[in-house]
């Protein structure tokens, strides 16, 4: 029965595979698990540490101290290879070895400087993005406060202030005084009609 079951599975597998394709079972990768790291023939390094190292070198290459030291070394190199005894000279007059060393230094300095510039550009990009978001928040806050102040001003326009009430009361007192001046009341002794 077990062999019949195995044969029926193989038969179903053959039916599912298209004609001309090999019937070897394929290994399917599981999507719920991370891939196993691949081995590389290239040496591994920490990009952050290498970037910091390149920035230090680029910073040093851009200083006057580097130019002074490089000038001193080249002058000493030339003087030694011109004035030293023949058997102690290691680079004869056309100074081919000096040219090679300067070319080698330049070929390493240029990529290191570019790497340092790229890292600085990345930092600047992040800083500009944060500044842009901060500016957007500040603009939104300013617009909100402007709307709130406008609403308060409109609300205050409808509220009776102390000065307005005082001026209205003064106007009423003046009107009453004018009214009394035009229509004086005659009071009778002993009657309280005038008090009412």
């Amino acid at each position: 029965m077990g062999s019949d079951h195995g044969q029926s599975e193989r038969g179903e597998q053959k039916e599912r595979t298209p004609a001309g394709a090999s019937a070897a079972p394929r290994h399917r990768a599981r999507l719920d698990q991370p891939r196993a790291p691949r081995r590389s023939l290239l040496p591994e390094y920490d990009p952050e540490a290498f970037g910091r190292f390149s920035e230090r070198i680029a910073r040093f290459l851009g200083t006057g101290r580097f130019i002074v030291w490089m000038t001193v070394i080249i002058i000493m190199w030339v003087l030694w290879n011109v004035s030293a005894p023949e058997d102690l000279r290691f680079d004869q007059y056309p100074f081919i070895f000096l040219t090679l060393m300067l070319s080698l230094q330049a070929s390493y300095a240029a990529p290191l400087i570019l790497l340092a510039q790229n890292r600085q550009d990345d930092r600047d990009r992040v800083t500009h993005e944060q500044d842009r978001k901060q500016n957007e928040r500040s603009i939104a806050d300013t617009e909100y406060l402007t709307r709130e102040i406008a609403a308060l001003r409109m609300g205050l326009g409808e509220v009776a202030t102390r000065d307005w009430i005082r001026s209205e009361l003064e106007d009423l007192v003046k009107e009453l005084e004018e009214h009394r001046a035009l229509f004086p009341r005659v009071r009778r002794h002993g009657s309280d009609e005038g008090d009412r």
Side-chain angles (χ1 to χ4, degrees), residues 46-116:
D46 181 16
E48 189 64 28
F50 188 74
R52 285 193 303 266
F53 175 72
S54 67
E55 284 179 337
R56 258 186 268 140
I57 290 176
R59 221 173 280 125
F60 176 69
L61 291 177
T63 62
R65 185 187 314 169
F66 170 74
I67 294 172
V68 168
W69 278 109
M70 189 169 164
T71 305
V72 167
I73 289 171
I74 290 173
I75 289 171
M76 288 174 53
W77 186 297
V78 170
L79 287 175
W80 179 264
N81 287 301
V82 168
S83 61
E86 192 75 29
D87 56 335
L88 294 178
R89 294 180 193 172
F90 56 88
D91 194 14
Q92 295 298 324
Y93 165 65
F95 307 119
I96 296 171
F97 189 54
L98 176 64
T99 306
L100 176 68
M101 294 304 290
L102 292 175
S103 299
L104 186 65
Q105 181 262 331
S107 67
Y108 273 101
L112 288 174
I113 291 170
L114 288 174
L115 180 62

Side-chain angles (χ1 to χ4, degrees), residues 146-180:
T146 304
R147 286 193 300 271
E148 287 297 313
I149 290 171
L152 285 173
R153 283 183 178 170
M154 290 171 60
L156 282 177
E158 298 169 1
V159 172
T161 61
R162 184 175 20 176
D163 294 336
W164 181 78
I165 291 174
R166 184 178 292 141
S167 68
E168 290 295 316
L169 286 175
E170 287 174 356
D171 290 343
L172 283 174
V173 168
K174 284 180 187 176
E175 283 180 21
L176 284 174
E177 288 175 356
E178 289 174 2
H179 187 47
R180 278 189 185 169

